[in-house]
């Protein structure tokens, strides 16, 4: 039960970061069709959460700095990072009919969102 609560709390933190990011970026939030905001925010948060919980295999194989490793994978242009971003882009385009411009902007925000979550969950 405790693990489930921790899992839910982690998802809720990520979801709130996604919502905050969209609210502070009117060009992103304005491109989302009315009435689909919550569903899209949930899809993005779920994607990030799943990749934090089940990170892709990396070349280094190091166990330390999971969030840092995931962020580096996304920003490196590696095939793994492309697959993570592509999975989200494909889902958003197929499920919600979002244009390539908006799905690309959302994919570009993934490293920022992961960095914000890492900083929030591991304060210095």
């Amino acid at each position: 039960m405790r693990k489930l609560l921790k899992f839910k709390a982690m998802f809720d933190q990520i979801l709130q970061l996604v919502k905050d990011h969209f609210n502070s970026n009117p060009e992103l939030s304005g491109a989302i069709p009315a009435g689909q905001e919550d569903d899209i925010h949930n899809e993005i948060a779920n994607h990030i959460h799943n990749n934090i919980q089940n990170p892709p295999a990396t070349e280094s194989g190091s166990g330390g700095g999971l969030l840092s490793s995931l962020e580096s994978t996304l920003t490196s242009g590696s095939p793994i990072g492309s697959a993570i971003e592509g999975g989200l882009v494909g889902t958003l385009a197929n499920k919600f009919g979002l244009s390539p411009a908006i799905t690309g902007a959302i994919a570009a925000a993934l490293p920022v969102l992961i960095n914000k979550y890492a900083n929030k969950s591991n304060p210095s």
Side-chain angles (χ1 to χ4, degrees):
M1 181 70 172
R2 182 173 280 186
K3 188 174 185 177
L4 182 61
L5 290 174
K6 185 176 180 182
F7 186 83
K8 173 90 169 97
M10 179 188 216
F11 177 81
D12 289 344
Q13 284 181 331
I14 294 168
L15 179 59
Q16 189 58 52
L17 287 171
V18 169
K19 288 179 179 183
D20 291 347
H21 184 76
F22 274 76
N23 289 337
S24 66
N25 291 288
E27 60 282 351
L28 279 177
S29 60
I32 294 177
Q36 291 188 324
E37 299 90 352
D38 286 341
D39 291 338
I40 291 171
H41 294 161
N42 276 300
E43 190 67 41
I44 296 165
N46 189 48
H47 188 82
I48 292 170
H49 186 257
N50 286 341
N51 279 290
I52 289 172
Q53 291 295 309
N54 304 304
T58 61
E59 293 83 20
S60 67
S62 67
L66 175 65
L67 292 173
S68 177
S69 174
L70 184 57
E71 182 184 12
S72 295
T73 298
L74 288 170
T75 58
S76 70
S78 74
I80 295 168
S82 296
I84 293 168
E85 290 175 351
L88 179 61
V89 166
T91 299
L92 293 174
N94 292 331
K95 263 184 148 174
F96 304 104
L98 298 180
S99 72
I102 189 63
T103 57
I106 291 169
L110 288 178
V112 172
L113 291 166
I114 290 169
N115 186 38
K116 285 181 180 180
Y117 177 74
N119 289 335
K120 186 173 185 170
S121 64
N122 297 315
S124 304

